[in-house]
Amino acid sequence: MKLNCDLGESFGSWEKGLDELAMQDIDQANIACGFHAGDPLVMFKTLLLAKKNKVEVGAHPGYPDLVGFGRRSIKCSAQEIESMMIYQISAIDGMAKSMDINVEYVKPHGALYNDMMADKTTRLAVMKATASYHKPLKLMIQATADYKTHQDEAKQLGLTLLAEGFADRRYDDTGRLLSRNEVGAVLNQEQMLEQVNQLKETGTITTTSGLRLPLALDSLCVHGDNIAGVEAIKAIRQILQG
């Protein structure tokens, strides 16, 4: 089980995240492509950090929403979603290729990720965009009870999925993330480390009602927005290596 983190989300003089510190303990960097965050210089610097730390690079496309940080849904046609994704993937992939770096996967950001999980039309548009790119790319998608269905959808397009889980989020009984509007949706550090240890030892998570659900993951999402987050990444890494 690898660790992935959303990085490269600064923009101009606005700085977000402790990318240099977070990059030291992760396996996969989801790098913003300029629509919800990031700019050419930030993308370049983040790619350099990934190369220095031997971290896999993934494109992190979102809705064109710098003001809302890509966390607001935007009503788009399937063709618009496919086009905006290919545009963003091409931007990060072109820059990476000039630096002798390979972009290996795609993980949608924020509202686009949530919409992909909730709406089949959006999900298929995201899948088609990833599958139609000129080189093979994997798509990172949340592991839920519907993951087998999502795999079948992807298989029809010749697309490989990466099953993702979240270290610091509480799950409901369907295997989906509890809404951030619900009490207890975001775990404190002690709860988060307990969940990671349970995943490692038993391959399960405990839902909000106490139910144990199996969760087979390829990658676990962590956050490097602040010092506490970076310290948590180190603690998670120690558990997984321990």
Side-chain angles (χ1 to χ4, degrees), residues 5-12 14-20 22-23 26 28-50 57-61 66 69 88 92 95 109 224-225:
C5 188
D6 301 345
L7 298 172
E9 293 184 320
S10 297
F11 180 77
W14 183 72
E15 294 186 10
K16 176 176 173 59
L18 301 175
D19 291 9
E20 191 165 358
M23 197 77 80
I26 62 172
Q28 298 167 309
N30 320 313
I31 301 180
C33 306
F35 270 35
H36 78 276
D39 60 39
L41 183 57
V42 169
M43 290 165 66
F44 179 78
K45 289 181 176 178
T46 311
L47 284 165
L48 277 181
L49 277 175
V57 169
H60 195 43
L66 282 172
F69 194 62
Q88 292 176 80
I92 191 75
M95 186 173 284
H109 166 81
D225 296 346

Side-chain angles (χ1 to χ4, degrees), residues 14-112:
W14 183 72
E15 294 186 10
K16 176 176 173 59
L18 301 175
D19 291 9
E20 191 165 358
L21 294 177
M23 197 77 80
Q24 297 173 14
D25 292 291
I26 62 172
D27 305 291
Q28 298 167 309
N30 320 313
I31 301 180
C33 306
F35 270 35
H36 78 276
D39 60 39
L41 183 57
V42 169
M43 290 165 66
F44 179 78
K45 289 181 176 178
T46 311
L47 284 165
L48 277 181
L49 277 175
K51 186 173 185 178
K52 176 183 176 182
N53 288 277
K54 296 181 174 58
V55 170
E56 295 176 27
V57 169
H60 195 43
Y63 286 124
D65 181 26
L66 282 172
V67 173
F69 194 62
R71 289 180 174 161
R72 302 179 293 188
S73 293
I74 297 177
K75 188 173 179 58
C76 297
S77 68
Q79 190 173 34
E80 286 174 320
I81 291 172
E82 289 178 46
S83 298
M84 73 171 66
M85 281 198 58
I86 292 173
Y87 184 97
Q88 292 176 80
I89 295 168
S90 298
I92 191 75
D93 184 48
M95 186 173 284
K97 189 172 182 179
S98 70
M99 300 165 68
D100 196 28
I101 298 171
N102 185 43
V103 174
E104 301 183 32
Y105 66 94
V106 176
K107 177 188 171 180
H109 166 81
L112 182 57

Side-chain angles (χ1 to χ4, degrees), residues 78 81-82 85 120-130:
I81 291 172
E82 289 178 46
M85 281 198 58
K120 183 176 180 178
T121 299
T122 302
R123 184 169 59 255
L124 290 180
V126 168
M127 287 183 173
K128 287 177 182 177
T130 307

Side-chain angles (χ1 to χ4, degrees), residues 34-221:
F35 270 35
H36 78 276
D39 60 39
L41 183 57
V42 169
M43 290 165 66
F44 179 78
K45 289 181 176 178
T46 311
L47 284 165
L48 277 181
L49 277 175
K51 186 173 185 178
K52 176 183 176 182
N53 288 277
K54 296 181 174 58
V55 170
E56 295 176 27
V57 169
H60 195 43
Y63 286 124
D65 181 26
L66 282 172
V67 173
F69 194 62
R71 289 180 174 161
R72 302 179 293 188
S73 293
I74 297 177
K75 188 173 179 58
C76 297
S77 68
Q79 190 173 34
E80 286 174 320
I81 291 172
E82 289 178 46
S83 298
M84 73 171 66
M85 281 198 58
I86 292 173
Y87 184 97
Q88 292 176 80
I89 295 168
S90 298
I92 191 75
D93 184 48
M95 186 173 284
K97 189 172 182 179
S98 70
M99 300 165 68
D100 196 28
I101 298 171
N102 185 43
V103 174
E104 301 183 32
Y105 66 94
V106 176
K107 177 188 171 180
H109 166 81
L112 182 57
Y113 187 101
N114 293 336
D115 291 349
M116 169 184 73
M117 297 307 305
D119 177 64
K120 183 176 180 178
T121 299
T122 302
R123 184 169 59 255
L124 290 180
V126 168
M127 287 183 173
K128 287 177 182 177
T130 307
S132 67
Y133 197 64
H134 66 80
K135 72 175 192 181
L137 293 169
K138 297 178 181 179
L139 176 65
M140 191 173 288
I141 187 171
Q142 186 185 342
T144 68
D146 298 321
Y147 188 66
K148 179 62 169 63
T149 298
H150 298 160
Q151 282 183 310
D152 291 341
E153 293 170 346
K155 187 176 181 179
Q156 292 182 28
L157 298 168
L159 179 65
T160 299
L161 300 184
L162 295 173
E164 180 184 34
F166 294 80
D168 64 346
R169 295 292 302 277
R170 180 70 70 199
Y171 287 79
D172 66 20
D173 289 352
T174 69
R176 295 188 180 277
L177 298 181
L178 195 65
S179 169
R180 286 182 179 271
N181 296 324
E182 300 287 335
V183 176
V186 179
L187 306 181
N188 61 37
Q189 183 154 329
E190 181 180 357
Q191 292 170 327
M192 175 181 61
L193 296 181
E194 286 177 0
Q195 179 159 278
V196 172
N197 191 65
Q198 181 179 337
L199 273 167
K200 181 195 173 188
E201 296 299 326
T202 68
T204 66
I205 49 93
T206 300
T207 70
T208 184
S209 72
L211 180 68
R212 283 204 166 199
L213 287 181
L215 202 64
L217 301 179
D218 297 306
S219 192
L220 191 65
C221 182

